[in-house]
Amino acid sequence: MAQSIFMAGILIGGLALGDLSDRFGRKPILTGCYLLLAASGSGAAFSPTLSVYMAFRFLCGCGISGIILSTVTLNVEWVPTQMRALTSTAIGYCYTLGQFILPGLAYAIPQWRWLQLTVSVPFFIFFLSSWWTPESIRWMVLSGKSSKALKVLQRVAAFNGKKEEGERLTLEELKLNLQKEIALAKAKYSATDLFRIPILRRVTVCLSLAWFATGFAYYSLAMGVEEFGVNLYLLQVIFGGVDIPAKFITILSLSYVGRHTTQAASLLLAGGAILVLIFVPLDMQTLRTALAVFGKGCLSSSFSCLFLYTSELYPTVIRQTGMGACNLWTRVGSMLAPLVKITAEVHPFIPNIIYGISALLAGSAALFLPETLNRPLPETIEDMEKWFLRAKEPKQEAEAEKASQMIPLQPYGPGLGSS
């Protein structure tokens, strides 16, 4: 229940802080969430009752959600296009590094209160250091703070050894470079458009299933490490270690095989691994652990693919709304995952059946999404519709060619030419 409350905090934080980030900026939300996580995490370490502990854990979830949202957004809005994949992967590997460090800390600090305090106090340092994090230039210009944006750009240019280039920048040049973004920002779209417009509805439904199943199945394995009979600390390290090859293979697959196939395959393989666990006896701990680690790696691959795939499928005018709506479902899945574990009291196989089937269904739904490899990002709904039509044309041509090959050739006879 405490774990579900924590996931609920991540869910509510994502809904509330996304809008606040668009209204007040990325930096204030990032700074405030560092402080919130530091204070609520430290408070959880001194909780006198379970209710107080869960309340603090809920606030921790809200803080983590805001940190993730602001970090991803600042990365996208500051880093050049050709470097985004690299920096996103680097951020992902930092998450993996945290998974390596946590078992070591837990082994060295067996008392949970001291462990909770140890992992929370560093966020006070991050809170102070975040004051030197520059605000998003794109957000400042779109919010009418062009003069301030110019000063920040000049400061960043000086930091990068480009002081003279920074001093030559003007407000007119800055607005000219972001002219298209400023025009697009005037177009207002809401979450209802994701389901009102047919092409957006199809993408949203398929992606929502993928996000839900990924979070649902991922946390079922991540929070069930004690069920495999292996040393808890060692298995946590293995679970973190599998992310290293998983993310590397994902990058290669995304670059050469494509997003569509990578997304569907990762979910189908994960669902299959979870269902196979049902038939493996409890005394075969090595095989059970191997299947769980394989499934966790596939789901980690799914997460990596989804962040890129979702941002490429939605047009610019509604991309943030689409990302937020889809990400909402992974929080719902992660929140429900601990509660489904309770069904094991009825029969031990029920949780894995639910987790596995959900991943298989989501993998099947991903097959209905188009490929985005080497295609330009759509800016408007119209761009998206044209893009989908172009994506269908090669398929229709292939089907027409196949159909023509199936028509038997007959010699022309009397009257056959006209018919």
Side-chain angles (χ1 to χ4, degrees), residues 30-165:
L30 179 64
T31 302
C33 286
Y34 276 140
L35 181 60
L36 175 63
L37 184 56
S40 56
S42 301
F46 298 99
S47 300
T49 64
L50 178 61
S51 300
V52 175
Y53 172 77
M54 288 195 295
F56 278 122
R57 289 292 288 166
F58 177 84
L59 294 175
C60 284
C62 291
I64 286 176
S65 187
I67 291 169
I68 293 173
L69 178 67
S70 299
T71 301
V72 170
T73 305
L74 283 170
N75 176 58
V76 171
E77 295 180 344
W78 261 113
V79 179
T81 305
Q82 64 272 21
M83 293 294 292
R84 284 176 190 165
L86 181 62
T87 54
S88 296
T89 303
I91 292 172
Y93 275 125
C94 289
Y95 176 83
T96 302
L97 177 64
Q99 286 189 299
F100 279 127
I101 295 174
L102 182 59
L105 284 175
Y107 185 80
I109 310 172
Q111 296 84 7
W112 74 266
R113 292 183 185 273
W114 285 108
L115 177 63
Q116 176 71 40
L117 187 63
T118 301
V119 299
S120 300
V121 168
F123 284 95
F124 284 110
I125 300 173
F126 303 148
F127 163 70
L128 296 174
S129 66
S130 67
W131 288 96
W132 283 272
T133 301
E135 179 59 274
S136 166
I137 295 298
R138 191 178 301 271
W139 177 83
M140 284 192 286
V141 172
L142 296 181
S143 300
K145 300 179 180 180
S146 301
S147 300
K148 189 176 180 181
L150 182 61
K151 292 179 181 178
V152 173
L153 264 182
Q154 291 172 338
R155 179 162 60 89
V156 172
F159 181 84
N160 289 333
K162 306 284 186 180
K163 187 175 182 180
E164 293 183 2
E165 289 86 342

Side-chain angles (χ1 to χ4, degrees), residues 103 224-227 229-237:
V225 290
E226 73 281 354
E227 298 175 2
V230 182
N231 181 277
L232 182 65
Y233 304 101
L234 176 61
L235 189 56
Q236 192 66 42
V237 171

Side-chain angles (χ1 to χ4, degrees), residues 246-296:
K247 285 184 171 65
F248 180 73
I249 293 172
T250 301
I251 292 175
L252 295 178
S253 181
L254 288 172
S255 301
Y256 297 102
V257 180
R259 285 77 155 126
H260 170 265
T261 305
T262 303
Q263 184 58 65
S266 60
L267 283 169
L268 291 173
L269 288 173
I274 294 173
L275 289 177
V276 170
L277 277 171
I278 298 173
F279 306 100
V280 179
L282 294 176
D283 56 347
M284 299 181 67
Q285 296 176 357
T286 303
L287 180 56
R288 289 180 62 82
T289 301
L291 285 169
V293 170
F294 175 76
K296 198 261 186 182

